[in-house]
Amino acid sequence: MGYNPVFCQFVSKGWVFGQLGLLFLLCGWLGWRRKDEEHGSRANEFRLCATTFGVAFLVWFGLACIPITTASYSLKKARVAALNDDAEAGLDHLNSACKAMPALSFDSGVLAQKGSFLLAQGESHVPEARYQNLLNLERDGYQHRAAELLENLIADGPHNPALDRELTRSLLRVAIDDFNAGNSAEARRRIRQVCVREPTAIQALFHLQLLALQGSHLEENRYCRETIASLYGNFQRREKKAVISAGWLMVAQGELEAGHTLAAAEAREKSRKP
């Protein structure tokens, strides 16, 4: 379905333990009924349970395939319409695909294609079309103008959740470009704006901590490290230890610059075993 392990890690555990619990319950119940084996009732009930489970699984699988198949067919029709320069039909098919599978509306490519269809129909005032227009400017090298249009579009929001999520990602990308270009003031302003829009954005918090270290803002440095650790610490990601360790190292450097040698030594020690 397109979900990554970060989303599925807890869901998968629930399914596994749920199925194991059901299996143990069934085995225990059938074992408790072993005295009824002489009459054949236990074997009949076992066959009934197995048949019911098989039928239920087939029904569930069939129902799960319906929206996937419908969305795939609509996406193919939208692709054909785009090749034929039929923007109106393409947009209708794309909306049908998103209706069948709502998760598609959050896909960056689908959102960009919607904007392209709207621009082709002359509806440049629609938020999705405005977003695609700034992406076109960015692709053509007009980053400054694209950044202005992005902030104007954000100021006119909120929009639908899919577009707002994409706008936040674009704002973070622009902020990181500012950071890499040495424009610390604009980078800090935009990253703080990202953190307001999405308080759980690990990448934004990490860059904000870097900016706090550069600007000798020790309290903000500590706050970013604590927030990243609380958000990221419990996730099953291989790279999380490196991120949390880097956060402790930045705190250690900030504490050292502030003259807190003992706190710096403690933070550095914690960076070794995050």
Side-chain angles (χ1 to χ4, degrees), residues 194-236:
V194 171
C195 291
V196 170
R197 293 174 61 87
E198 184 52 70
T200 60
I202 301 294
Q203 191 175 7
L205 288 165
F206 187 81
H207 281 84
L208 185 60
Q209 188 178 8
L210 285 172
L211 289 166
L213 177 60
Q214 290 182 358
S216 299
H217 303 295
L218 183 56
E219 290 300 324
E220 190 173 48
N221 190 340
R222 293 169 177 166
Y223 166 78
C224 291
R225 188 215 63 78
E226 292 173 1
T227 306
I228 290 172
S230 63
L231 291 173
Y232 208 22
N234 294 323
F235 279 80
Q236 297 175 358

Side-chain angles (χ1 to χ4, degrees), residues 37-49:
E37 181 61 27
E38 297 176 358
H39 306 287
S41 59
R42 189 173 72 154
N44 291 334
E45 289 172 354
F46 181 79
R47 285 193 292 269
L48 177 62
C49 290

Side-chain angles (χ1 to χ4, degrees), residues 108-177:
S108 301
V110 171
L111 189 63
Q113 189 62 61
K114 279 186 179 181
S116 297
F117 284 142
L118 289 167
L119 285 175
Q121 294 182 74
E123 300 184 29
S124 57
H125 62 284
V126 179
E128 286 83 356
R130 294 170 61 188
Y131 178 68
Q132 181 58 30
N133 186 39
L134 71 88
L135 287 181
N136 293 337
L137 289 172
E138 192 178 65
R139 180 193 60 201
D140 294 337
Y142 300 100
Q143 278 80 10
H144 183 71
R145 177 58 180 159
E148 289 181 353
L149 293 179
L150 174 62
E151 297 211 12
N152 291 337
L153 185 54
I154 290 174
D156 292 340
H159 307 287
N160 61 76
L163 181 59
D164 284 334
R165 171 178 173 269
E166 207 64 30
L167 292 176
T168 302
R169 294 175 63 184
S170 296
L171 184 63
L172 178 59
R173 185 174 64 251
V174 173
I176 292 175
D177 289 341

